Amino acid sequence: MAIKEIHLLHDGYLELDMGMLVYMKTAYYGIKYMGALKPLLIVTDSENVLVDTGIAPLPEGLSRFVRYHKDRSIKEELADHGLTPDDIDIVINTHLHMDHCGNNRLFRRARFFAQKKEVEYSNRPDRWMRGGYVNSFIEGTDFEEVDGDHTILPGISVIETPGHTPGHQSVVVDAGERRIVYMGDACPLMENLEKRDVTGILYDPKSELNSIDRLRSIEGFHIASHDLQQMKFDLVL
Ligand SMILES: [Zn+2]
């Protein structure tokens, strides 16, 4: 198996407060941030892999509080690469918050990979974490539950990066000479990585900082999940 192409896709924007992105950085409180939603497409000579699936229409109770804006959809983005949702063989979810698994149901043929801890936690989140999970986005999905670091395909691995959620994982892709580190919400912004500042939505700040340090120790091109400074990445081998 060989990786042929890697592309950062765009599934619109999620309206956030900057205070949700960097913990206790009071200067950021109250500043609106239209965070980018950017699934990663990895095309190999045998399989098409998607990391995270963006967001979909929310249940009524939530849609009053959570706003997003779609200038592009994941379907349109896939079509740009000559693909339909049925061409996706594997979906890797970094975690199961609504803005990372919202379109899972689009991918009817795919195998789904998430951490065992995350799947379990999404069924019974603590009170302060409940707002992040939307049941209808994941119920019925037959996840292949990964327990810790795991190779999904040659050159495509998940690594445990808990803290933002209990079962958060990041994805490391080795393609030719390049290594891409898709950090998910372990680092929603590059500054989380660069300054070792934990994100503002937290299950456990201590393990989140360990995860940031782990990501810092891996050399490669790091992709932060919601950072607007980093909207494009295309690699064709
Ligand atoms: Zn997110």
Side-chain angles (χ1 to χ4, degrees), residues 20-227:
M20 297 160 90
L21 298 169
V22 185
Y23 183 63
M24 291 294 280
K25 184 154 181 170
T26 55
Y28 280 177
Y29 288 8
I31 299 173
K32 197 186 282 187
Y33 190 80
M34 292 301 277
L37 300 177
K38 30 189 192 178
L40 187 73
L41 172 68
I42 307 159
V43 177
T44 80
D45 54 9
S46 56
E47 276 155 297
N48 298 311
V49 181
L50 190 64
V51 183
D52 285 347
T53 65
I55 201 164
L58 296 163
E60 210 194 324
L62 259 178
S63 60
R64 275 183 285 143
F65 305 103
V66 181
R67 294 198 177 79
Y68 63 89
H69 169 66
K70 291 246 187 191
D71 52 343
R72 291 285 285 170
S73 75
I74 203 163
K75 258 188 181 170
E76 293 170 312
E77 293 276 298
L78 287 172
D80 286 352
H81 300 287
L83 299 172
T84 72
D86 283 348
D87 294 319
I88 298 298
D89 302 286
I90 290 175
V91 170
I92 301 170
N93 289 120
T94 57
H95 62 303
L96 298 177
H97 276 168
M98 64 181 96
D99 52 325
H100 297 263
C101 67
N103 291 296
N104 274 18
R105 286 167 303 181
L106 264 185
F107 304 100
R108 294 172 298 183
R109 280 188 50 259
R111 297 164 64 195
F112 292 87
F113 289 88
Q115 286 289 322
K116 183 179 192 320
K117 281 188 196 128
E118 185 69 9
V119 176
E120 285 171 1
Y121 191 74
S122 70
N123 292 320
R124 266 185 307 274
D126 288 297
R127 184 171 171 71
W128 76 93
M129 293 291 279
R130 249 175 239 165
Y133 295 95
V134 173
N135 239 331
S136 59
F137 287 173
I138 41 183
E139 66 192 351
T141 307
D142 188 16
F143 283 106
E144 294 182 37
E145 297 178 13
V146 177
D147 200 2
D149 297 357
H150 184 75
T151 300
I152 305 289
L153 290 175
I156 305 175
S157 301
V158 295
I159 59 165
E160 268 189 295
T161 48
H164 173 65
T165 65
H168 189 283
Q169 61 186 358
S170 300
V171 182
V172 179
V173 187
D174 283 300
E177 306 281 281
R178 301 288 300 272
R179 172 174 287 160
I180 289 88
V181 186
Y182 189 88
M183 301 188 288
D185 278 357
C187 291
L189 302 177
M190 283 306 287
E191 68 175 81
N192 300 111
L193 183 79
E194 287 157 2
K195 299 179 183 168
R196 297 178 73 230
D197 281 345
V198 299
T199 181
I201 297 176
L202 281 167
Y203 174 73
D204 174 14
K206 217 166 183 174
S207 53
E208 159 71 354
L209 183 56
N210 287 338
S211 294
I212 290 175
D213 286 339
R214 182 171 195 198
L215 291 164
R216 285 166 61 96
S217 75
I218 303 172
E219 259 178 63
F221 183 77
H222 291 78
I223 297 175
S225 61
H226 297 306
D227 201 316

